[in-house]
Amino acid sequence: MKLPEYIAGNVPLAPLTAFRAGGAARYLARPAREEDVAATLAFARARSLPVLVLGGGSNLLVADGGVEAVVVALSDAGEFGRIDRSGDGDWRVGAAVSLPALVAATVREGRAGLAPLAGIPGRVGGAVAMNAGGGAGGASMGDVVREAAAYAPDGGRRVFAPAFGYRRSDLGGMIALSFTLRFPGADAPERLAEAARGFRERKAAAQPLGAPSAGCVFKNPDGDSAGRLLDAAGCKGLTEGGARVSERHANFIVSDGTASAGDIARLAARMRERVRDRFGVALEREIVLWGDGDGFDALR
Ligand code: FAD
Ligand code: EPU
């Protein structure tokens, strides 16, 4: 059967993820219009395949065997790539807009709130779904999100105010299309630019931003830092195949370009074990796992 032009079969996902690891998607859909998202959900239902949503792939580990699913990566070529300003000061932002581009636009236009997220990769949809955050004060994406427009897997469209927690939201399993953002106030673009530069520089000094990774592997336990615990447990420099615990930040696994998803998952499991043995703390995973792979069970 001929596929719609925005759906392809057996597409390698590694190039679409920050780890640059993992297998292929049974189907990859890149819809640029809402009606094509609805049609993609019907396509998946007709084949009894689950739907998975891909943003920038910067918080994701895909199993080496790939996923028997329809992966939806919203295209930024149309409405999902737009930022619209409304008269009342709210912005309507498509889920496929790049997070750094959104942060830069808010800085340029004197909108406060997102400067602490400078330097975080990904798309707005993924950053909202993960409630990505940064900076010393713990600012996060959810702070500025008023409403989301999203499809549920059954095809129902909803507009609602998402709930957020530390590195989590209730968008899981949905396909968010766009968001209404409200900023806490205005500030001088020069001041915001200076603040963003500071956050970016501190991040680059503390984290290995040049190598393939997915950011922090584990969430911080209450009142502590997973990076500090992993470091104190002697994890820096541990390796599995092409995967290594960063010498710069112990909560980052970096790939030398050859790491398999199995290497990464096995290394993450060893890191967690070390912290449990040494400190009795069970670290909770932050990175999202897709598929079933070697080493994945121990990490779930
Ligand atoms: P993806 O990895 O593509 O997806 C993540 C999750 O969101 C998946 O479950 C996916 O299904 C879901 N999702 C994606 N798009 C949608 C959508 N449209 N609708 C519904 N669900 C969706 N994170 C931080 O919080 N703070 C940091 O400081 C930080 N630093 C990082 C540094 C590096 C070098 C890297 C590689 C990552 C870092 N991260 C950080 C992690 C990551 O950038 C964030 O979690 C976030 O921006 C992920 O966005 P994404 O589009 O890449 O999501
Ligand atoms: N530390 C170590 N060794 C390490 C890493 C950190 O001793 O290898 C210590 C630091 O010296 C510091 C403390 O741990 O005293 C906290 O470190 P840092 O300020 O780097 O923050 P973090 O808790 O490690 C969190 C987020 C990051 C975010 C930074 C900056 C989580 C899991 N991590 O890291 O987010 O960029 O704050 O805002 O919440 C992510 O979520 O992917 C991520 C990278």
Side-chain angles (χ1 to χ4, degrees), residues 109-127:
E109 296 179 39
R111 300 309 185 93
L114 291 185
L117 276 68
I120 302 179
R123 303 279 175 125
V124 172

Side-chain angles (χ1 to χ4, degrees), residues 134-135 166-167 203 207 216 218 220 225 231 236 249-250 286:
Y166 165 58
R167 297 289 191 273
K203 193 169 165 63
Q207 301 174 4
C216 287
F218 298 102
N220 284 343
S225 162
D231 191 354
K236 282 184 173 173
H249 195 297
E286 176 178 320

Side-chain angles (χ1 to χ4, degrees), residues 53 55-59 120-123 126-127 129-130 132-133 167 174 176 203 213 215:
V53 196
S58 58
N59 208 33
I120 302 179
R123 303 279 175 125
M130 296 305 304
R167 297 289 191 273
M174 306 192 91
K203 193 169 165 63
S213 83

